[in-house]
Amino acid sequence: MTHLIGRRGLLGAAAATAGAAALLGGAPAAGAAPPAHGNRYALQKRFVDWRFGMFLHFNMGTYHDAEWVEPDRDPQTFDPADLDCGQWADAAKAAGMKFGVLTAKHHDGFCLWPSRHTDYSVASSPARGRDIVGEYVRAFRSRGLAPCLYFSIWDRTNGVGPAGFDDRPPITREAIEFVKDQLTELLTGYGPIPLLIFDGWAWHWAFGHRSVPFHEIREHVAALQPDCLVLDLNGLSVPWHSEVLFVEETKGGVFCPPGNGYAASQGQTIAPAGWFWHPSTPGNLLSADEIVDGHLKVLEPRYCTFILNCPPNPRGLLDDTVVQTLREVGRRWRPDRTRRPLPPQPDVVTHPLTPVAATATSGDAALAVDGHSDFGWNGQADQTLWTSDAAPSGTAPQSVTLDLGRVYSGIDVLTYLPRQDTRTDFVLEDFRTDGNITSYRIAVSADGRTFRPVARGDWAPDHTLKQVTFRPATARYLRLEALSASGGGPAIASEIGCGGITTRPRPL
């Protein structure tokens, strides 16, 4: 599992000036007028109120002692002779968990359900005739636990992205439709799925949220299950293209920071051997003390749900040592019911649009729209940054212009993601701010020649996601002009996006 994320900020977008004024703590200052809770708040609050869940990395890697198994492995090697999803659910219930997340498909592409769109699935294995996703969903739901799913966009067997590590094949329309077809199977065949975790997407070196268009996948999920939260393992400190944050503790011990106010989660595996089962897994586990005192009690006041990975073994069962540890956790931990409710959350851009191209007054504009982001193994943000050649000013602004490929009506929001690197490795606080845009102007155009201003204002120089709303506009091009930048040097942008919050943009 290769991922990502954690950190902090909260934004307040005013309709015209839309300054993003968020601090690490997220809660409004005493006496401040309470902001709207956010358009996905109820679902995000439910998630953080779950507090504790089980990640189940169980797939082809289980049978090959590998975290990233090679593509095209023989399906006959996937042989869970004693598979019992009820045992997984009973162990989760005993620990006090409220949900599970099963790796329906990992990066090699093997499917735990009998997909109609590939032979590389459980239907070609010794477990043919069984639907492991279905058994998991029924087992967890029957015990009052919410069944959630993990799905890798990168599919090394079925041609979604590269099979190896050196090639960079283009993402085809056929590959995008394949992804959507498999998501349709998962989101129409098993009842409500309250959370879908995407992996192998924003962080991938060969493609990102532009090549596999985020807006298309996001809209597809929403059309099938409107109440399904989307969590992309993108390594970010703020909820850009993700409705819940995810901090991957296995990357250098990074933790969700104190004062966090976003709906967040943190992932750790019960065995240091890895996310999937390995021969050393059952004999080297976190203790109940480490799980309760070192994680649950620390993360709970930070609105960060702890997702503890408990990998089933090749028989299809949790090891006895894992089950015993989880029972001890359940005896020792109780949720803190005095915790205050999740603070208000920023509105989610429920109808994003993916630019097909971008231009800039200077610098490489493509870096502002490539949809690439990760939290690196070096403890820093893995980001691609548009950087202007000169410092912006009111008389000589530096700008990036998004091209949506066609005219849309109903565009009402522009988003700006500043740089996300920090001064200290593996600590999601004290962010670098040089180059972050502090004064801006936004204009729109249908033809790329005549631009109409729709918003102007100032932003704090911090790392938080900036979000500007304006009256719905009809446009093909959106231009973000930087009028000033923190530190007095060139302007910098990690990602610039747009779409609709109050309306759904329609192509004309």
Side-chain angles (χ1 to χ4, degrees), residues 396-409:
Q398 297 291 314
S399 66
V400 174
T401 302
L402 310 183
D403 180 0
L404 301 177
R406 62 191 302 178
V407 175
Y408 287 84
S409 65

Side-chain angles (χ1 to χ4, degrees), residues 14-19 393-395 397 438-443 453-459 468-470 479-484:
T17 61
S393 69
T395 56
T438 53
S439 182
Y440 68 88
R441 182 167 55 222
I442 298 170
V454 294
R456 179 171 179 162
D458 300 308
W459 284 322
V468 182
T469 57
F470 42 83
R479 176 172 291 165
L480 173 61
E481 292 184 306
L483 308 180
S484 65

Side-chain angles (χ1 to χ4, degrees), residues 15 76 91 112 122 124 134 213 224 238 263 278-279 288 290 311 317 328 337 340 369 385 451 460-461 489 495-496:
Q76 290 297 309
L112 295 186
V122 66
S124 300
L224 298 173
V238 291
H278 300 275
E290 290 171 316
L317 299 171
E328 181 61 23
R337 300 300 183 188
R340 299 186 66 176
V369 297
L385 301 176
F451 281 80
E495 290 292 329
I496 301 171

Side-chain angles (χ1 to χ4, degrees), residues 8 25 46 104 219 257 354 388 422 428 435 505:
R8 217 342 20 234
R46 178 182 66 181
E219 293 277 16
T354 302
S388 65
T422 58
L428 302 179

Side-chain angles (χ1 to χ4, degrees), residues 44-63:
Q44 293 163 323
K45 181 179 182 298
R46 178 182 66 181
F47 175 78
V48 299
D49 286 347
W50 284 341
R51 290 175 169 81
F52 192 22
M54 177 182 285
F55 222 144
L56 290 147
H57 274 69
F58 180 65
N59 207 287
M60 189 61 76
T62 307
Y63 296 87

Side-chain angles (χ1 to χ4, degrees), residues 77-78 124 148 205 267:
T77 61
F78 182 87
S124 300
C148 308
W205 61 91

